[in-house]
């Protein structure tokens, strides 16, 4: 599968992030919003990277687990 397809699949799965691959071949993701102080203290990151698309997906899933569940009333 091409890296463009991997990129598109990850972008669909994680719409709150901008996903890209650097010229050096590393995979990156940056959040679309700033983190709160509490989120930063819990270990959330604004930008993450990985060697490949699967590694980036795993890191994104780890980041999801750090955030509290969304409030259904908002």
């Amino acid at each position: 599968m091409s890296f463009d397809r991997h990129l598109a699949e990850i972008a669909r799965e994680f719409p709150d992030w901008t996903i890209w691959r650097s010229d050096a071949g590393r995979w990156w993701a940056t959040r679309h919003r700033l983190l709160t102080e509490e989120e930063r203290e819990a270990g959330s990151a604004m930008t993450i990277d990985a060697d490949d698309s699967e590694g980036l997906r795993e890191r994104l899933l780890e980041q999801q687990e750090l955030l509290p569940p969304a409030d259904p009333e908002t």
Side-chain angles (χ1 to χ4, degrees):
M1 182 182 313
S2 73
F3 89 89
D4 287 332
R5 179 175 264 174
H6 284 290
L7 191 142
E9 286 178 1
I10 294 171
R12 275 192 302 275
E13 187 174 354
F14 300 95
D16 295 333
W17 296 79
T18 296
I19 312 296
W20 77 96
R21 186 174 173 217
S22 71
D23 292 341
R26 283 198 70 73
W27 289 74
W28 295 84
T30 298
R31 292 181 193 272
H32 292 175
R33 66 171 182 84
L34 296 175
L35 294 169
T36 65
E37 183 177 340
E38 293 81 18
E39 291 169 335
R40 289 190 307 273
E41 289 174 359
S44 294
M46 279 298 299
T47 302
I48 58 174
D49 68 319
D51 292 331
D52 55 31
S53 62
E54 190 55 38
L56 185 65
R57 185 177 179 283
E58 289 172 13
R59 301 238 15 237
L60 287 162
L61 289 170
E62 291 168 1
Q63 287 292 305
Q64 270 186 337
E65 292 176 9
L66 296 172
L67 295 178
D71 185 352
E73 295 183 20
T74 60

